Amino acid sequence: KAGVTQTPRYLIKTRGQQVTLSCSPISGHRSVSWYQQTPGQGLQFLFEYFSETQRNKGNFPGRFSGRQFSNSRSEMNVSTLELGDSALYLCASSLAVGNTGELFFGEGSRLTVL
Amino acid sequence: EDKVVQSPLSLVVHEGDTVTLNCSYEVTNFRSLLWYKQEKKAPTFLFMLTSSGIEKKSGRLSSILDKKELFSILNITATQTGDSAVYLCAVPNSGGSNYKLTFGKGTLLTVNP
């Protein structure tokens, strides 16, 4: 069974640009959540999607957005990039049943903003 | 606001040593506490704890929760170089979502041969 797949794995952008990151969850998983990981702040929750609906949102500005498609694949977008957006962006999927809180993470997309 | 504090932030040991990692938490509505291991890739799930005093064990790793004192520990016995990683502790959001996790900053464990 394939794990959570994130693309691209690495990317470099300049300030002011926008970026779109993609996440394919484990087959059968309907919940997809996104986290930002930086050395200073650690892992911080961005948002969570279930059945194409955003169920939860973290404390990030409106430049950060996402969506989920009918096949559960998800994308997140960051517009007007700032230097501080440089981070590892992790996607996690879950069966969304049983409420165990166990998430399966992808290997992340490492974004560098110059 | 939910809060998770891990200590120490980093730890260097020799192979064969036993280590104890700490995690304290503050949540309005506690439901569970989770431990993850992160090497240079995706965090991987280790344990989920919901009840006080019941040890969860997997090989050389074990973990226990104290809901009265609001902390958990992760023990690793007979450490190996492959145990070198960041160990993350997390709690699900008090507001009800099990998919919105609040993470601690992690403990960087380095095991030297």
Side-chain angles (χ1 to χ4, degrees), chain A residues 35 37 55 96 99-100 103 106, chain B residues 36 38 42 48 97-99 101:
Chain A
Y35 289 81
Q37 187 173 32
R55 292 201 297 191
N99 282 341
T100 66
L103 303 181
Chain B
Y36 283 84
Q38 185 177 25
M48 183 185 73
S97 170
N98 275 324
Y99 313 103
L101 300 181

Side-chain angles (χ1 to χ4, degrees), chain B residues 12-41:
Chain B
V12 180
V13 301
H14 291 290
E15 267 192 319
D17 288 350
T18 292
V19 298
T20 297
L21 310 182
N22 304 293
C23 174
S24 63
Y25 62 89
E26 291 177 25
V27 295
T28 308
N29 177 25
F30 178 85
R31 287 170 290 129
S32 64
L33 183 144
L34 303 106
W35 284 96
Y36 283 84
K37 175 183 181 182
Q38 185 177 25
E39 297 169 86
K40 290 183 181 178
K41 46 184 182 178

Side-chain angles (χ1 to χ4, degrees), chain A residues 50-92:
Chain A
F50 178 82
S51 291
E52 302 177 67
T53 300
Q54 185 183 89
R55 292 201 297 191
N56 291 282
K57 192 175 191 311
N59 296 324
F60 280 82
R63 300 185 296 107
F64 292 80
S65 63
R67 59 178 175 167
Q68 185 181 34
F69 302 95
S70 57
N71 62 357
S72 294
R73 190 177 70 84
S74 177
E75 288 181 348
M76 67 163 282
N77 184 275
V78 187
S79 62
T80 319
L81 284 166
E82 301 176 0
L83 295 178
D85 297 333
S86 295
L88 180 67
Y89 290 88
L90 290 163
C91 168

Side-chain angles (χ1 to χ4, degrees), chain A residues 34-53:
Chain A
W34 289 87
Y35 289 81
Q36 181 196 65
Q37 187 173 32
T38 59
Q41 298 299 318
L43 268 156
Q44 293 186 289
F45 174 81
L46 281 157
F47 23 66
E48 185 240 343
Y49 288 88
F50 178 82
S51 291
E52 302 177 67
T53 300

